[in-house]
Amino acid sequence: MAEAKFRYIATKRRPKEDRRFLAGAAQFVADINLQGMLHAALVASPYSFARIKSIDAKVALALPGVHAVVTGAELAAATEPMMSGLDAPKLFRWPMAHQMARYAGEWVAVVVADTRAIAEDAAELVEVDYEPLTPVTDPEAALDPASPAIHPEHGSNILFRKKWTWGPVAEDFAGADRRLAFRARWHRSSTVPIETFGVVASWDHARQLLDVWASIQMPKYPDQLARALRLPGNGVRVHFDVDVGGSYGVKRGLKHSILAGFLARKLDAPVRLIEDRLDNMRGGDAQGPDRIFDMEVAFTNAGVIRALKIRALDDCGAHAGRAPLQLGKPVGAICGPYRVNSVEYEAISVTTNKTPQEAVRGFGQAPTNFALENAVDRVASALGMDRIALRRLNLIRADEFPYTIPSGSAYDSGDYHAVLDKALAAGPYDALIVRRDAARAAGKLAGIGVVTCLEPSGGNSSFEPLFNPKNDTTTWMEACSIKVDAAGSITVSMNTTSSGQGHETLASTVVGEVLERDPETIRVVRADSLSALPSNSPVGSRMAIMLGGAAAGAAKKIKETAAAIAAKKLGVAPAEIDYADGVFSVRGEPGKKLTWQAVCETAHRRFHELPDGMEPGLQAFHVLEVPTGGTLPTADGRVQMYPCYSFESHVVYAEVDRVTGQVTLGRYVVGHDCGTMINPDIVHGMTYGGVAHGIGAALYERFRYDDQGQLLSGTFMDYLIPSSHEVPDIAIVDHCTPSPLTAFGQKGSGEAGYLGGPAAISCAVNDALAPLGIFLAELPMTPGLLGDLIATKQK
Amino acid sequence: MSSHAITVTINGRVYRATVPARMTLVDFLRDELRLTGTHVGCEHGVCGACSIMFEGRPIRSCLMFAAQADGASITTVEGLAPEPGGLSVLQDSFWETHALQCGYCTPGMLIAAHALLMRIPNPTDEEIREAISGNLCRCTGYKQIVDAVKLAAERLSGKNQNG
Amino acid sequence: MKAAEFDYARAADLDDVFRLLDGAQGEAKIIAGGQTLVPLLVMRLARPTLVVDINGIAELSGIAADETGVTFGAATRQIDALEAAGVARHAPLLKKALALVGHPQTRNRGTIGGSLANADPAAEIGLIARTLDAEIEARSSAGGRQIAADAFFTGAMSTVLSAEECLTKVRFPVWPGRVGTGFEEMSNRRSDFALVAVACQVAIDKAGVCTRIALGVGGAEPVPVRASDAEKRLIGTRLESADINAALNTLAETLDPLSDVHASADYRRRVAVHLAARTIASARDEARA
C-alpha cells in the first residue's frame, strides 16, 4: 500500500485539538467548577505497614467548613472491593485502607470541606492510632514463605507465579555451543504526568444518577466504578469530554473515583478530589514496574541465538491491581524481533509494603526490551562479534512475515533490517565510531548503543485470560459513530477520553479520507459513557488501529448508504455509482451526478426518494474487534497477544564522566516503522516524547524507598524528570511497512521511543564502560551509581 | 488568618478581590477569577506549569501568594493573543509544529517562550532550551517546542512570512 | 498542598518589619522572593503565624559595586544581580554561580538575601558568600550587626539569624590585583541543586605565583565550607597541576560529606576534589590571561 494513494492520511496536517490548548481554553478536570462543590483531602498512613486500631475524627469534624470525615472502614462497608487482574479471591482492596495500612501514604480517611485548604487543616486533626508492623520491602525477601504476609487472607506475598516453556528449551540449551547468564534490574519509575489525577463526582438524587468527570485513561472504567459503588451500570455517567493532562498508562484513578462518588452520594453535593503532587507520588497508586530479570541465553559459536530463559520477578507494591499483568504483555514479544527457537518464561509478582503500580507505557515491554537488548550485546561480547552483525543474523527477515514466535503470537509485518540500516545510515554509524574512538583515545569513556526493539500494538487483552483462566475475555473492541446532517456536515463521535494522542485528528483524518471530505470541516465529539458505544480507551498503542479502524468502518457504511441514495435518484444500480471529491456520478456518464449536499439533504428530508427499506437520515456506527483477536490462550500458554508490531532501532552516542559518572547523550537517532502514519507530526511527537521518557527511566527517575518502606523521592525535587537540557536533539528516520491487518496499513505508535530508549542508553553506557571491564544492567544509571562503580574499577 | 483587599491588572483588565493570606496566586487566578488556562502541576516550584508574566517577567505563580500581587500587572496564557479569539504568532507556531500533546504544560511553556522572545528576538537552540528548562513537559521531548520557538522567532523577525 | 493559616503583612519600611517581627513571639517568617519559603509553607514544613513581606521596601533592593566591594540589598532579585554590569566586573565569581541558580523563572523572583537566609546546603549564593568571606548585615529593633560568612551558617537550612532579625545587606569584597575565578558544580539535571559545587578565586603576582586563594565547597557538608588546608598549601605556588593535586589530597582527607539518595559520601568527596582541581585551574588560567 503506497502512501501516495492517500488524500489526507500521512500528510502534514495541523492537529485538530491543538488550538484549544494553545488558547488556554481546554477543559481539564481541575477546571470544572460545579455549584456547591466540596473539596476532599486525604489522611495518609505514615507507616508502611500497620494495623489501624482506631480513628478519631471529632476534632476534625468540629472545624468550621468541614462536612464529613469518612474512614476506610465506612467506605469498605458501603462499596465492593476493587477487582484485581488475578484469580485471587482473597485479595481485597478498597480505595482507603481497611483495618491495615499496607504502604506509607495509603489513604486511611478522607475529609470533605468547603475548600481544599480547610480539608487539609482538618486532615491534620484526624487522630489515627496505629500498631506498626514489620514491613516487607525487598521483593526477593517477599518470596520467602516466612515473610510477614501483607495480605494475611491471601496467605503469601506471592501474587502470581507461573513458568511457561515454549518449544524445546532444555534441548536447545543442552545442544548450544555457548550459554551465558546475567541479572538485569529495572528499578521503579513511572510516567508521572504533569497533571495529577483528579475527579469530580456529582450525585443527582432526582435522577438517581452519578455524574463523573475525571482525568481518566482506563478501559471499563464506568463499569468498574458502578460495580464498586453498587450502582447499575446506567447509574453512572462518565463525561469523556475532559482533557487529560498526560497519562501514558497511569491515569486510572478508580480508587479516587469510587471515593469521590461515594462522598457525592453521601453528602448529596458535588465533590472534587484532585491529587496534589505529594498525594500523587506517594498515594496515587501510579508507580511502575520494579523488576529483576534473571536472563539465560543459549547460542551457537556463529552467533545464532537458540533459546532464552527469562525469570522476571516484579515488586508490585502493596496491592495487585493490574500490575502482575504487566508481566503478561511481554509474552507477545518475549523474544523481541529475533528468531529464537524456544523460550522459557517465569513470571513472578510479589507484594511488598510499597505504593502500588499502575500500567506504564508499554505495559512491561520496555523493561523486557531492556533485558533482551543487553542479552544480545552480552552474546556479541562473549563471542567477540560485532553487535550489529549479530543482530542482523538473528533479526526476523522481511520475507518471513507473518512470523509466529514460540509463545504463539504472529508478528504481522516488518522489515527490521531495512530500519536498522536506515538508523545506522542516519547516525551515521561510521562517524559515530570515529568520534567514539577519538574520545576514548583522549581518555574519555565513550560508547554507542544500537538496539532493535518491538512495540506490540493494538491493545488486545489476551494477557487477562493468560494470567487468570477464569477470565475468558476475548474482545477488546472499539467503536465509532458518524452522523451527517441535512446540510452535509459530518460529526464523528468517539467514546473515550484522550490524553494527548490526537484522537480527534485521527478520527477526522480517517473519516475525511474515506468520505473525501476535508477533515477541517469534520467535527469530532465525545459521547458520555451512557450514550457511548463500547470502547476500551487509549491503552496498548491501539487507537490508530482500533479507533482508526472503527472510524473507517463507519465512514464506509456512510459512503455506501449515500451511494445507494444517489443511485436511486440517478436511476442506476449502486454498483454503477462513482464517488470522488464530494460528487456521486454514474460511471461512464459524468454528467449524471449529485453533490454530497444533495444526497445528504435527500437522506434527511425525502423519504420517498430513499431506497426501499432504508432508514431516513444519514448515520452509521461501527464496532471493531481487534484484528487477530477473539481466541483464548492454548493450554500451554500460547497466545496471540497483539495484532500489530511496530519496530524501532535506536542509535545513540553517550559519554560517561569518569569521576562524576554523569552520562551525556550525543547523537540520538530512531529508525521507526509503525506502518502508515495517519498524522506524521503526531507520531513523531509521541516518539520524541517516548525517548525523553526513556531517558528519564534510563538515567534519572527512580522511586526510592528506605528499608522501612518510606518513599524518599516523593517530590519533583528528588524524582527527576528530564528537562529540555537533558533531552538531546533527536532525529527520527521513518520507514513504512504497512500492516496487512488494518484499514490503512497503520500500526500503533503511542509507546514508540520509550520501548527502545532505556535499552539503547544502557547499551551505550555499557559500551562506554566496557574498557573498564564493567557491565551494568541496572536502571536508572544515575551519576551516583556510575561514579561509585567506576571508582571501584579504577582503584 | 488575615485577608487582604487587592487590585490586580490581568491581561489588561483590572480585578479587585479580597483574598485570604494563604491563597497562592495561581489558586487565585484559577479558582477565584476562573482564569483556568494557567495550570497547577507540582505546587512546589519545579514543573513550571503555573508560569505567568508578572511585571513583565516570567515567574511561577505557585510560589507567590495572591496578597503579594496587589498592584501588579500580570499576563496569563489567556492574554497572549493580540485580539480576542485569535492566536499570537508564537501560539500559531506551536500549532504549526505540533509543539504539544496533552496541552497541560503548554500555557507555561508559551509564557516561558514568550518571555524569551521579548528579551532575545532570535534565540539560539541553547538559549531556547535554557529559557524553557524550568518547564517540564512529559509528552514532547521538547523537540517540537524548540522548533516552534525558532519558527516564531523567524516569523516575528520577518524572515519567514509564509511559514 | 495548601499552607496552614497565617497572617500576612506587607512591611512599608524596616521599622515596620522590626515591629512585626517583634510582635510575633518568634513565629514570624520573612518572605522576599518566596522561592524557598513558599514550598515549605505549602508542604506545611514551615508554620509561621505571620509572614512579613519585605518586597516593597526600597532600601532592601539595589546593587552598589566598586573596586572594594559589591553590596546587595537583601531583596535584590537574582536576575538583577546576574545581569548587573557591576557584578560582572567586580564579582565575576558570583555571576558564574548566579547563572546556575535554579531556573530563569525562579531567578526572576528569588533574591540574594533569601537564598542566604534559607541556607540550603547546596545553594550557590551561600557558597560564594562563604568563599569570598562576604559580610552579612542583619538588623532588628535592637540594632544591627555584621556577620562574617564563616559564622553565618549553623547547619542545613539554619543560620545565626534570630527570629527578630532581618537580613538587610550582603557585601562581597573585591580582591585587588590579578584575579581569576572558577565555578563548577555537579548536579543530576543541569538545573538541580548541586550534589557538589566548588568555587575558587585566586590572585597571582606578576610572576604567576599565587598570593591569595579562596576555595569553597558547597553541597558536600550541611553548610558551605572552605578548603583552608588546601588554600594554605597553594599560596606561594604557581598553581601548576602538581601543586593542585598535592593540595587537594588534604581536601579529600578533611571533607566530611553527606550521603543521601543521590550520592554517597565517597562520591561527593571524589567529585569535590575533581571539581576543585578544575576550578583552581580555570581560576588560575583566568588570572593569567
Side-chain angles (χ1 to χ4, degrees):
Chain A
M1 183 173 312
E3 292 188 34
K5 69 185 282 188
F6 298 120
R7 174 182 298 253
Y8 301 116
I9 285 173
T11 60
K12 175 171 175 62
R13 302 186 57 76
R14 286 187 168 199
K16 210 170 188 58
E17 39 279 270
D18 286 9
R19 185 179 180 117
R20 66 175 180 266
F21 297 111
L22 291 163
Q27 179 177 254
F28 294 96
V29 66
D31 303 339
I32 289 165
N33 185 27
L34 302 181
Q35 191 69 35
M37 188 166 71
L38 303 177
H39 300 256
L42 298 150
V43 179
S45 170
Y47 297 102
S48 62
F49 198 23
R51 196 173 308 285
I52 298 165
K53 292 163 71 178
S54 65
I55 299 178
D56 184 347
K58 276 196 295 292
V59 181
L61 281 165
L63 197 69
V66 173
H67 292 255
V69 177
V70 171
T71 66
E74 180 182 347
L75 186 73
T79 57
E80 293 300 308
M82 294 154 70
M83 294 191 292
S84 86
L86 301 173
D87 178 18
K90 290 183 177 171
L91 274 181
F92 298 106
R93 180 190 190 187
W94 279 279
M96 297 196 293
H98 176 44
Q99 297 173 342
M100 286 167 96
R102 294 181 170 86
Y103 66 94
E106 184 164 22
W107 305 345
V108 170
V110 64
V111 179
V112 186
D114 286 335
T115 68
R116 169 79 186 199
I118 294 171
E120 289 187 27
D121 293 343
E124 291 185 319
L125 301 174
V126 175
E127 291 168 28
V128 186
D129 188 11
Y130 297 95
E131 177 193 341
L133 303 169
T134 303
V136 181
T137 57
D138 175 356
E140 295 193 283
L143 283 172
D144 183 348
S147 60
I150 295 168
H151 294 269
E153 303 90 340
H154 180 70
S156 150
N157 290 323
I158 299 172
L159 298 176
F160 181 85
R161 179 172 203 160
K162 187 156 184 166
K163 187 190 283 186
W164 292 277
T165 304
W166 299 298
V169 176
E171 293 84 339
D172 285 342
F173 263 81
D177 299 330
R178 304 278 297 270
R179 286 165 288 278
L180 64 77
F182 70 101
R183 172 168 278 205
R185 185 75 171 92
W186 174 287
H187 286 293
R188 183 176 284 240
S189 57
S190 190
T191 73
V192 192
I194 306 302
E195 182 206 44
T196 59
F197 183 81
V199 56
V200 176
S202 179
W203 173 247
D204 182 338
H205 68 82
R207 291 172 182 78
Q208 294 287 294
L209 181 64
L210 184 74
D211 278 295
V212 177
W213 296 260
S215 56
I216 194 80
Q217 179 213 6
M218 179 176 175
K220 316 279 199 289
Y221 167 73
D223 302 351
Q224 292 202 40
L225 181 54
R227 178 190 157 280
L229 289 169
R230 297 174 180 159
L231 287 168
N234 60 13
V236 170
R237 177 167 61 189
V238 177
H239 297 264
F240 291 133
D241 56 350
V242 173
D243 291 310
V244 179
S247 173
Y248 334 96
V250 302
K251 285 274 179 73
R252 304 200 187 194
L254 182 63
K255 75 167 190 180
H256 314 58
S257 307
I258 295 167
L259 181 54
F262 171 80
L263 294 169
R265 284 181 78 190
K266 177 184 168 82
L267 300 172
D268 197 19
V271 172
R272 158 180 149 138
L273 171 53
I274 309 276
E275 290 174 338
D276 67 23
R277 185 53 63 184
L278 300 179
D279 296 332
N280 169 265
M281 302 293 271
R282 204 162 76 130
D285 296 7
Q287 299 185 359
D290 185 349
R291 208 162 283 190
I292 300 169
F293 292 95
D294 285 305
M295 305 288 292
E296 291 182 66
V297 193
F299 50 102
T300 70
N301 286 329
V304 175
I305 298 172
R306 295 291 297 157
L308 294 167
K309 289 185 190 175
I310 302 173
R311 177 184 187 263
L313 168 63
D314 194 85
D315 175 353
C316 90
H319 295 285
R322 285 173 71 80
L325 302 180
Q326 297 197 70
L327 291 159
K329 175 174 167 178
V331 169
I334 196 66
C335 52
Y338 306 109
R339 270 185 275 110
V340 176
N341 192 52
S342 62
V343 180
E344 175 189 289
Y345 181 51
E346 184 177 17
I348 313 167
S349 179
V350 295
T351 183
T352 63
N353 293 108
K354 296 178 192 160
T355 300
Q357 288 181 19
E358 196 39 271
V360 161
R361 196 178 210 151
F363 210 63
Q365 192 70 47
T368 308
N369 288 351
F370 151 71
L372 284 172
E373 290 304 301
N374 276 283
V376 174
D377 273 13
R378 296 225 85 191
V379 170
S381 170
L383 292 169
M385 193 171 163
D386 177 67
R387 295 174 294 171
I388 297 165
L390 185 88
R391 282 182 171 77
R392 284 206 179 97
L393 181 66
N394 287 283
L395 285 172
I396 297 162
R397 292 191 314 269
D399 60 6
E400 294 178 291
F401 292 97
Y403 184 92
T404 302
I405 62 170
S407 54
S409 285
Y411 296 172
D412 56 335
S413 67
D415 190 343
Y416 304 160
H417 293 82
V419 178
L420 171 62
D421 287 346
K422 275 192 178 179
L424 292 169
Y429 183 68
D430 292 346
L432 294 178
I433 292 285
V434 170
R435 181 173 160 197
R436 179 193 70 181
D437 293 347
R440 285 181 176 175
K444 292 182 174 173
L445 297 172
I448 301 167
V450 179
V451 298
T452 43
C453 296
L454 288 179
E455 179 186 0
S457 62
N460 207 342
S461 65
S462 310
F463 41 75
E464 288 186 346
L466 185 68
F467 272 55
N468 178 0
K470 290 182 182 161
N471 183 341
D472 58 358
T473 303
T474 58
T475 183
W476 204 243
M477 66 293 205
E478 192 66 33
C480 183
S481 62
I482 302 175
K483 282 188 348 183
V484 185
D485 68 18
S489 288
I490 301 166
T491 302
V492 178
S493 183
M494 55 180 288
N495 307 289
T496 184
T497 54
S498 300
S499 37
Q501 304 94 334
H503 299 136
E504 293 166 28
T505 303
L506 164 68
S508 60
T509 304
V510 162
V511 171
E513 184 73 38
V514 173
L515 295 178
E516 303 190 29
R517 310 300 296 161
D518 184 350
E520 291 293 313
T521 67
I522 296 173
R523 184 168 296 280
V524 180
V525 298
R526 291 160 201 272
D528 61 55
S529 64
L530 294 185
S531 55
L533 295 166
S535 168
N536 281 286
S537 87
V539 298
S541 285
R542 66 192 293 276
M543 291 304 258
I545 297 164
M546 297 303 298
L547 177 60
K556 284 173 187 160
K557 291 175 186 174
I558 293 279
K559 194 160 131 180
E560 282 169 21
T561 303
I565 294 168
K568 171 148 187 198
K569 280 191 87 155
L570 295 169
V572 298
E576 291 175 58
I577 293 291
D578 282 336
Y579 176 67
D581 286 327
V583 176
F584 296 89
S585 59
V586 177
R587 189 163 308 128
E589 295 179 73
K592 292 178 75 175
K593 61 186 181 184
L594 280 170
T595 63
W596 167 260
Q597 285 78 8
V599 170
C600 296
E601 190 184 1
T602 297
H604 279 272
R605 299 189 56 212
R606 300 187 195 95
F607 191 71
H608 62 285
E609 292 186 0
L610 298 185
D612 291 346
M614 181 177 281
E615 294 172 6
L618 187 52
Q619 54 281 322
F621 71 86
H622 190 81
V623 185
L624 183 69
E625 164 65 340
V626 182
T628 72
T631 56
L632 288 166
T634 62
D636 65 349
R638 289 175 207 255
V639 60
Q640 178 67 43
M641 194 64 74
Y642 282 9
C644 301
Y645 287 78
S646 297
F647 177 80
E648 59 195 55
S649 176
H650 296 231
V651 178
V652 55
Y653 178 88
E655 290 186 6
V656 185
D657 188 287
R658 276 182 192 275
V659 180
T660 66
Q662 191 155 48
V663 177
T664 304
L665 300 179
R667 179 73 172 158
Y668 203 120
V669 177
V670 184
H672 187 218
D673 182 357
C674 62
T676 303
M677 294 187 288
I678 307 291
N679 184 300
D681 282 349
I682 289 178
V683 171
H684 291 158
M686 290 195 287
T687 308
Y688 295 131
V691 172
H693 182 196
I695 290 169
L699 299 177
Y700 301 100
E701 298 177 33
R702 179 171 170 190
F703 286 108
R704 291 174 191 268
Y705 289 84
D706 69 13
D707 60 6
Q708 291 303 301
Q710 294 294 333
L711 179 63
L712 303 176
S713 43
T715 75
F716 276 2
M717 310 281 277
D718 30 42
Y719 186 91
L720 307 179
I721 291 170
S723 80
S724 53
H725 284 313
E726 282 70 49
V727 182
D729 195 27
I730 299 156
I732 297 173
V733 194
D734 294 319
H735 188 82
C736 179
T737 312
S739 173
L741 303 173
T742 60
F744 307 99
Q746 75 273 30
K747 302 183 180 186
S749 67
E751 296 154 355
Y754 184 65
L755 292 192
I761 293 162
S762 67
C763 288
V765 169
N766 276 317
D767 188 39
L769 299 180
L772 297 177
I774 296 173
F775 169 75
L776 177 70
E778 180 174 346
L779 299 184
M781 294 172 161
T782 60
L785 175 67
L786 291 179
D788 282 352
L789 189 61
I790 294 166
T792 62
K793 293 289 176 175
Q794 286 186 327
K795 268 183 183 153
Chain B
M1 181 172 47
S2 55
S3 62
H4 303 268
I6 59 171
T7 302
V8 194
T9 303
I10 303 169
N11 303 328
R13 183 175 155 191
V14 176
Y15 294 84
R16 290 186 178 79
T18 300
V19 294
R22 64 169 159 175
M23 178 177 282
T24 58
L25 181 53
V26 68
D27 284 350
F28 174 67
L29 293 172
R30 291 181 47 81
D31 298 340
E32 301 299 308
L33 304 185
R34 308 302 307 158
L35 289 168
T36 55
T38 303
H39 295 153
V40 171
C42 72
E43 290 183 277
H44 57 282
V46 182
C47 79
C50 66
S51 302
I52 59 169
M53 297 298 289
F54 183 85
E55 301 287 68
R57 284 172 170 174
I59 62 136
R60 304 199 187 296
S61 60
C62 76
L63 294 187
M64 272 188 76
F65 295 105
Q68 294 185 278
D70 185 30
S73 176
I74 287 170
T75 303
T76 66
V77 66
E78 290 94 342
L80 288 181
E83 75 287 343
L87 295 179
S88 70
V89 170
L90 179 67
Q91 288 168 309
D92 190 73
S93 299
F94 267 59
W95 195 359
E96 177 64 21
T97 67
H98 187 47
L100 63 140
Q101 287 169 43
C102 79
Y104 199 75
C105 76
T106 307
M109 206 57 91
L110 285 166
I111 291 290
H114 170 78
L116 170 70
L117 294 177
M118 281 174 58
R119 207 161 45 83
I120 306 176
N122 284 297
T124 62
D125 279 25
E126 179 55 30
E127 285 167 335
I128 295 170
R129 285 181 180 271
E130 171 65 12
I132 63 170
S133 66
N135 295 73
L136 297 177
C137 172
R138 207 54 167 154
C139 295
T140 64
Y142 307 101
K143 162 106 174 166
Q144 287 152 309
I145 296 172
V146 174
D147 290 347
V149 180
K150 282 195 286 192
L151 176 61
E154 283 175 25
R155 287 175 168 181
L156 288 165
S157 65
K159 284 186 202 160
N160 185 337
Q161 301 290 356
N162 311 315
Chain C
M1 278 169 83
K2 308 297 175 195
E5 292 193 348
F6 59 79
D7 290 332
Y8 165 85
R10 194 175 200 176
D13 53 34
L14 270 174
D15 286 340
D16 207 14
V17 174
F18 304 147
R19 182 183 58 77
L20 289 162
L21 294 179
D22 288 348
Q25 284 88 44
E27 298 296 321
K29 281 276 183 190
I30 292 171
I31 190 166
Q35 306 299 290
T36 307
L37 180 63
V38 177
L40 294 174
L41 291 172
V42 298
M43 291 185 192
R44 302 192 176 206
L45 299 171
R47 311 185 68 124
T49 57
L50 175 67
V51 171
V52 179
D53 191 341
I54 59 169
N55 279 289
I57 302 175
E59 69 176 287
L60 286 181
S61 74
I63 304 167
D66 63 25
E67 277 67 33
T68 63
V70 181
T71 303
F72 298 91
T76 304
R77 306 276 176 219
Q78 291 157 7
I79 184 70
D80 293 329
L82 179 61
E83 291 179 348
V87 174
R89 188 171 327 120
H90 298 296
L93 182 61
L94 180 62
K95 184 182 168 77
K96 284 176 185 172
L98 282 168
L100 296 169
V101 176
H103 305 282
Q105 291 162 44
T106 60
R107 293 196 290 267
N108 284 338
R109 191 77 193 149
T111 64
I112 299 287
S115 177
L116 290 170
N118 282 294
D120 190 289
E124 289 88 353
I125 296 169
L127 170 59
I128 303 305
R130 181 76 181 85
T131 305
L132 294 182
D133 292 317
E135 298 141 23
I136 295 158
E137 180 190 86
R139 287 168 62 187
S140 68
S141 58
R145 60 170 171 155
Q146 295 289 328
I147 307 162
D150 68 346
F152 182 74
F153 301 104
T154 53
M157 314 300 283
S158 86
T159 71
V160 296
L161 293 177
S162 77
E164 287 74 33
E165 278 182 306
C166 177
L167 197 162
T168 47
K169 276 183 195 164
V170 56
R171 179 176 180 277
F172 293 84
V174 173
W175 292 8
R178 298 178 64 186
V179 172
T181 62
F183 187 87
E184 298 257 0
E185 67 177 35
M186 169 59 205
S187 54
N188 280 308
R189 294 172 300 184
R190 198 194 298 182
S191 307
D192 283 325
F193 271 119
L195 301 175
V196 182
V198 180
C200 180
Q201 183 157 303
V202 301
I204 58 174
D205 63 17
K206 283 178 185 164
V209 173
C210 175
T211 57
R212 190 175 177 190
I213 181 167
L215 182 63
V217 180
E221 298 193 15
V223 300
V225 295
R226 286 279 287 277
S228 313
D229 289 340
E231 289 173 3
K232 281 180 203 139
R233 285 168 184 256
L234 286 164
I235 288 174
T237 75
R238 296 177 56 84
L239 299 174
E240 300 299 348
S241 293
D243 305 321
I244 295 171
N245 292 338
L248 291 179
N249 283 334
T250 61
L251 175 61
E253 287 158 18
T254 56
L255 201 64
D256 182 18
L258 308 158
S259 183
D260 64 14
V261 293
H262 295 302
S264 66
D266 281 345
Y267 177 92
R268 284 191 164 84
R269 187 177 294 111
R270 284 192 309 272
V271 172
V273 170
H274 173 68
L275 296 183
R278 288 170 50 166
T279 55
I280 297 165
S282 54
R284 172 201 67 203
D285 293 346
E286 200 177 282
R288 286 178 182 173

